[in-house]
Amino acid sequence: MASTQGLNMLQTAGVAFTLHPYDYDPKAEAVGLQAAAALGIDPGLMLKTLMVEVDGKPCCCVIPSDRQLSMKKVAAAFKGKAAEMMAVPKAEKLTGYKVGGISPFGQKRPVPTAFEVSACQAPRVWINAGQRGLLLGIVPADALGATGATASALIA
């Protein structure tokens, strides 16, 4: 089995998940959509992990790969005034993952995390496992519990 910070964290916590490797395409315009197509998974159940800053503080958002963040909703979810995407070098340093492989699980420095509420209604979702080309399938409630995340309205 592959090993990443996120997988190690989930295993230690006793959280059940399944692994789903796929051929990562670094030229893909939308990595989450490419992963969904490669695995034949509904893009609404394939979640992407986005690092943001709310009032200058780092936060993590997990939303369906076929949707976009609403920065106004992100700010509200984290009880802030303004939100913006985090710069790639900062996101990689903070999480310990490379963009295209960022997972909400096992980040080097855990930050407040929110999952799009609509994705939490599904029986199972797929999220990056911590490396490019490797996803994990997980029950949304388990994902929320493992990250200490909230379920919030985050998408436009």
Side-chain angles (χ1 to χ4, degrees), residues 3-119:
S3 180
T4 68
Q5 298 160 199
L7 295 176
N8 293 339
M9 176 230 159
L10 291 171
Q11 288 170 332
T12 299
V15 176
F17 60 88
T18 55
L19 283 181
H20 305 271
Y22 70 98
D23 290 327
Y24 173 79
D25 179 1
K27 296 182 198 116
E29 197 170 306
V31 174
L33 295 178
Q34 185 260 327
L39 292 172
I41 294 170
D42 176 349
L45 300 177
M46 175 70 64
L47 306 185
K48 58 186 174 183
T49 306
L50 302 170
M51 300 304 294
V52 299
E53 292 185 84
V54 176
D55 297 340
K57 295 183 177 119
C59 299
C60 178
C61 296
V62 184
I63 67 170
S65 63
D66 61 349
R67 303 300 299 269
Q68 297 297 316
L69 282 176
S70 160
M71 290 303 175
K72 188 174 187 174
K73 290 180 180 177
V74 169
F78 292 103
K79 298 177 178 32
K81 294 182 188 205
E84 63 184 359
M85 292 301 298
M86 186 180 290
V88 168
K90 187 172 185 178
E92 290 182 341
K93 184 176 182 182
L94 183 79
T95 64
Y97 296 123
K98 294 285 184 197
V99 167
I102 293 179
S103 176
F105 309 108
Q107 292 186 0
K108 189 161 60 170
R109 181 172 153 219
V111 299
T113 301
F115 280 66
E116 165 54 36
V117 68
S118 63

Side-chain angles (χ1 to χ4, degrees), residues 136-152:
L136 60 85
I138 191 167
V139 173
D142 291 344
L144 290 171
T147 57
T150 59
S152 303

